[in-house]
């Protein structure tokens, strides 16, 4: 059973930075691509960023490109999302995901999410 536990969410002001972490257990983390999705109030869940199992390849949604950085530490079974220059429209529940194939497919495992609230 795979478990993904997100942390690092909270309240921020526009322009601030936050770093989300996601600790994985129950499966060989290094064999999976990883990523982040988010869901804003009243909106559908959307892709944010993804990273390959080696960490050499990444992909970002246009809305966060240049502001967010995804990274991973396979020794710690953890994936991170560094969020800079936060905007009120970044307010959402952020979900960590794992892909057993590649991040071009749908995620196979989801965390329960961590709330990020950005005030103007």
């Amino acid at each position: 059973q795979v478990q993904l536990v997100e942390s690092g969410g909270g309240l921020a002001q526009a322009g601030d930075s936050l770093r989300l972490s996601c600790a994985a257990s129950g499966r060989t983390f290094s064999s999976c691509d990883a990523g982040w999705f988010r869901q804003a109030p009243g909106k559908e869940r959307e892709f944010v960023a993804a990273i390959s199992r080696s960490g050499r390849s990444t992909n970002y949604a246009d809305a966060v490109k240049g502001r967010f950085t995804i990274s991973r530490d396979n020794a710690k079974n953890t994936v991170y999302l560094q969020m800079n220059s936060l905007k009120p429209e970044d307010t959402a529940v952020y979900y960590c995901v794992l892909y057993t194939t590649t991040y071009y497919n749908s995620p196979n495992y989801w965390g329960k999410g961590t709330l990020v609230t950005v005030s103007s």
Side-chain angles (χ1 to χ4, degrees):
Q1 185 74 11
V2 173
Q3 285 192 324
L4 301 174
V5 180
E6 302 96 336
S7 61
L11 182 63
Q13 292 190 329
D16 283 354
S17 298
L18 283 176
R19 189 176 82 154
L20 304 184
S21 299
C22 173
S25 62
R27 186 183 175 100
T28 304
F29 176 73
S30 60
S31 69
C32 297
D33 288 359
W36 293 90
F37 279 68
R38 68 185 181 185
Q39 187 166 21
K43 296 188 177 181
E44 293 187 353
R45 197 172 293 186
E46 64 177 3
F47 168 78
V48 175
I51 187 167
S52 62
R53 57 206 67 194
S54 68
R56 286 193 291 266
S57 177
T58 58
N59 190 30
Y60 296 92
D62 288 343
V64 306
K65 203 170 291 184
R67 300 188 298 121
F68 290 11
T69 302
I70 189 171
S71 61
R72 65 190 296 163
D73 185 338
N74 286 343
K76 295 183 178 179
N77 286 0
T78 302
V79 59
Y80 305 97
L81 185 68
Q82 177 67 43
M83 305 186 295
N84 297 332
S85 302
L86 283 164
K87 303 176 181 180
E89 51 264 45
D90 295 320
T91 295
V93 176
Y94 284 73
Y95 298 90
C96 174
V97 300
L98 288 185
Y99 305 80
T100 57
T101 54
T102 81
Y103 60 64
Y104 294 105
N105 294 332
S106 297
N108 301 94
Y109 301 101
W110 293 79
K112 293 184 178 180
T114 185
L115 177 63
V116 172
T117 303
V118 184
S119 62
S120 57

